[in-house]
């Protein structure tokens, strides 16, 4: 078993997020610019002999709804005989600060006692390239989120520590984020700071970092160690990304979902059923899933 997480029983939704794996880079960028909001609740029950549902709230952006990652997670939890009820506020390009001014987020956090609340910032902000935006995230974590998040005796807070863009972020800040490795490291450091802010503000919070960027890094390092070019379009690392080089492909979303599965259940992602992915595209075959499960397991146990 993994170090993180606990066992819960829950209920699962039917989600309607876009799956855009084959779209051109221009289309991907158009999707990002369009503000998507999804507040979706339970519409489907998974498993039998269930007691209380696992209540999970997502507050994030396109890094969640691309490839319908919540549905991936629900399918994984079905394997664990766990039923999941999810609700969401997901807005393309939105960060923690913007969400803190959204009445839908206030309503979501006030609706019920969540077993898990997953928070995700805009992908470039935690790395601190824009000092003002990073400070805004820190401030709203302290003043808006901490008072509204579930306490340790009823639930956990998961920080979605995302990945560096495939080639860094030359458009946003080439000096701050010149490469994947640099951007990934700074994002990870930012989420460590976010965790500290929440725990210092409210010691009764149980805050967990989902090390998804670490999982991407392990894939990258494995490619380098095998004398493979990570930037080759056929490499596993490159295939974690959508054509725009920063959103996840279906493989990248699956890797992230494996990390969340490990945190929520306390079980290794390597125990997942390789066949139980009816939504998967051909690229996500059994061999690739097993490899990604192993990388998720390693990231959770570093």
């Amino acid at each position: 078993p993994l170090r993180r997480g606990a066992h819960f029983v829950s209920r699962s939704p039917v989600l309607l997020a876009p799956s855009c794996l084959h779209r051109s880079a221009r289309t991907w960028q158009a999707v990002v610019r369009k503000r998507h909001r999804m507040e979706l609740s339970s519409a489907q029950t998974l498993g039998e002999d269930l007691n209380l549902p696992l209540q999970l709230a997502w507050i994030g952006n396109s890094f969640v709804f691309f490839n319908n990652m919540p549905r991936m997670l629900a399918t994984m939890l079905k394997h664990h005989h766990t039923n999941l009820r999810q609700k969401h506020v997901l807005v393309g390009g939105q960060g923690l600060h913007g969400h803190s001014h959204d009445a839908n987020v206030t309503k979501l956090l006030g609706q019920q006692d969540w077993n898990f609340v997953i928070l995700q910032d805009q992908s470039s902000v935690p790395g601190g390239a824009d000092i003002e935006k990073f400070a805004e995230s820190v401030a709203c974590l302290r003043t808006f989120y901490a008072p509204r998040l579930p306490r340790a005796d009823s639930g956990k807070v998961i920080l979605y520590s995302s990945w560096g863009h495939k080639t860094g972020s030359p458009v946003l800040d080439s000096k701050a984020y010149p490469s994947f490795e640099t951007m990934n490291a700074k994002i990870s450091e930012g989420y460590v700071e976010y965790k500290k802010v929440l725990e210092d503000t409210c010691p009764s919070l149980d805050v967990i970092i989902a090390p998804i960027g670490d999982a991407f890094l392990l894939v990258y390092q494995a490619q380098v160690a095998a004398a493979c070019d990570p930037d080759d379009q056929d490499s596993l690392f490159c295939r974690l990304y959508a054509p725009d080089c920063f959103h996840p492909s279906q493989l990248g979303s699956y890797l992230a979902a494996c990390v969340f599965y490990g945190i929520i259940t306390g079980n290794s992602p390597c125990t997942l059923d390789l066949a139980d992915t009816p939504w998967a595209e051909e690229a996500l075959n059994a061999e690739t899933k097993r490899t990604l499960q192993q990388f998720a397991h390693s990231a959770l146990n570093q």
Side-chain angles (χ1 to χ4, degrees):
L2 303 177
R3 298 193 304 266
R4 311 164 194 253
H7 291 77
F8 293 89
V9 181
S10 65
R11 187 166 293 176
S12 169
V14 173
L15 301 175
L16 302 174
S19 179
C20 311
L21 187 60
H22 298 299
R23 297 183 180 183
S24 68
R26 178 177 297 179
T27 304
W28 281 86
Q29 292 165 1
V31 170
V32 176
R33 287 194 296 266
K34 182 178 179 181
R35 295 173 64 84
H36 293 265
R37 176 175 284 109
M38 305 191 320
E39 290 185 273
L40 307 170
S41 60
S42 175
Q44 178 182 0
T45 300
L46 300 175
E48 299 177 355
D49 300 323
L50 300 173
N51 298 312
L52 295 175
L54 173 72
Q55 310 284 354
L56 187 153
W58 298 83
I59 298 171
N61 54 47
S62 54
F63 276 34
V64 177
F65 67 65
F66 271 35
N67 309 302
N68 209 336
M69 193 208 309
R71 183 176 66 164
M72 293 185 182
L73 180 59
T75 304
M76 293 173 177
L77 289 172
K78 177 183 177 181
H79 166 77
H80 189 257
H81 304 293
T82 298
N83 222 10
L84 184 64
R85 177 179 295 156
Q86 306 181 72
K87 290 189 176 182
H88 318 246
V89 178
L90 303 174
V91 181
Q94 189 62 282
L96 292 172
H97 180 252
H99 276 309
S100 70
H101 295 282
D102 188 337
N104 291 293
V105 173
T106 303
K107 179 181 177 182
L108 182 68
L109 291 176
Q111 281 181 349
Q112 60 193 88
D113 293 329
W114 298 105
N115 299 116
F116 290 96
V117 173
I118 299 177
L119 299 179
Q120 181 219 347
D121 206 351
Q122 196 276 339
S123 64
S124 66
V125 172
D130 188 318
I131 297 175
E132 182 177 345
K133 288 184 178 179
F134 181 80
E136 288 175 343
S137 289
V138 167
C140 70
L141 283 168
R142 184 178 293 116
T143 61
F144 175 81
Y145 290 99
R148 294 172 170 83
L149 292 169
R151 295 327 190 225
D153 58 353
S154 62
K156 300 177 186 293
V157 180
I158 301 177
L159 297 178
Y160 181 165
S161 183
S162 58
W163 50 87
H165 301 172
K166 186 164 72 75
T167 56
S169 190
V171 175
L172 294 173
D173 195 318
S174 59
K175 292 182 180 180
Y177 303 138
S179 66
F180 159 76
E181 290 179 286
T182 300
M183 186 174 186
N184 201 69
K186 290 186 176 182
I187 289 171
S188 295
E189 292 170 2
Y191 275 100
V192 170
E193 179 64 20
Y194 289 175
K195 173 179 165 69
K196 183 176 185 299
V197 168
L198 286 172
E199 292 177 337
D200 287 349
T201 303
C202 186
S204 61
L205 292 175
D206 187 353
V207 184
I208 302 168
I209 295 176
I212 298 165
D214 289 352
F216 272 61
L217 178 62
L218 289 172
V219 176
Y220 179 91
Q221 291 173 336
Q223 303 267 256
V224 173
C228 298
D229 181 3
D231 293 326
D232 185 280
Q233 64 178 2
D234 294 324
S235 74
L236 180 59
F237 175 72
C238 191
R239 289 161 56 214
L240 295 176
Y241 291 87
D244 62 14
C245 298
F246 60 95
H247 280 98
S249 68
Q250 191 174 72
L251 274 64
S253 293
Y254 183 82
L255 178 59
C258 285
V259 172
F260 285 121
Y261 172 87
I263 290 173
I264 290 171
T265 67
N267 288 349
S268 170
C270 295
T271 64
L272 285 165
D273 187 346
L274 294 176
D276 193 15
T277 49
W279 36 261
E281 300 187 17
E282 184 177 354
L284 193 53
N285 55 40
E287 181 181 358
T288 302
K289 282 187 283 187
R290 174 60 72 206
T291 299
L292 295 174
Q293 290 170 9
Q294 291 169 346
F295 280 118
H297 175 92
S298 297
L300 287 162
N301 285 276
Q302 288 190 119

